[in-house]
Amino acid sequence: SLLVDMKGLEDNSYYFASLGNLFLRIGNILEANKNLNKALTLTTSKPEIELLKKIIITCSWFLFFQGAIKIYFYFQILLIIIDDLFKYK
């Protein structure tokens, strides 16, 4: 994306907020979270801070549940493997 490759905007909160939005739209929550947090550090606007915090909290919850779901499925696979091991003894 042209937005990702832009240079000279390292101190621009709107740039990082836009990147965060872009990554959210394509489903890359980890990159979105990283860029939104960077935008948060660069802005002094109270409304922007509140909005970014709400979006970041939502991303964090999504990442938490995404991780919890992975752990649940890995645990289920482990139980199946253990069950199979005891069947053959």
Side-chain angles (χ1 to χ4, degrees):
S1 167
L2 292 175
L3 184 60
V4 174
D5 297 331
M6 293 180 84
K7 302 295 181 213
L9 297 172
E10 295 83 14
D11 296 325
N12 188 307
S13 65
Y14 297 118
Y15 171 69
F16 288 101
S18 297
L19 280 178
N21 185 38
L22 173 71
F23 284 115
L24 274 176
R25 289 175 182 270
I26 62 172
N28 189 338
I29 306 301
L30 202 54
E31 275 302 307
N33 200 35
K34 181 179 94 173
N35 283 284
L36 292 166
N37 273 295
K38 180 67 176 175
L40 183 63
T41 67
L42 295 172
T43 188
T44 57
S45 165
K46 289 190 187 282
E48 288 174 23
I49 290 169
E50 291 305 312
L51 178 61
L52 287 167
K53 283 182 177 180
K54 287 178 184 177
I55 297 169
I56 290 167
I57 288 169
T58 303
C59 287
S60 298
W61 275 108
F62 182 82
L63 288 170
F64 170 77
F65 284 115
Q66 191 178 39
I69 290 168
K70 284 181 185 176
I71 291 169
Y72 171 79
F73 283 113
Y74 289 142
F75 183 70
Q76 293 301 314
I77 291 169
L78 182 61
L79 288 177
I80 291 168
I81 292 169
I82 291 170
D83 190 46
D84 284 345
L85 286 173
F86 282 109
K87 283 183 182 176
Y88 294 111
K89 284 195 173 196

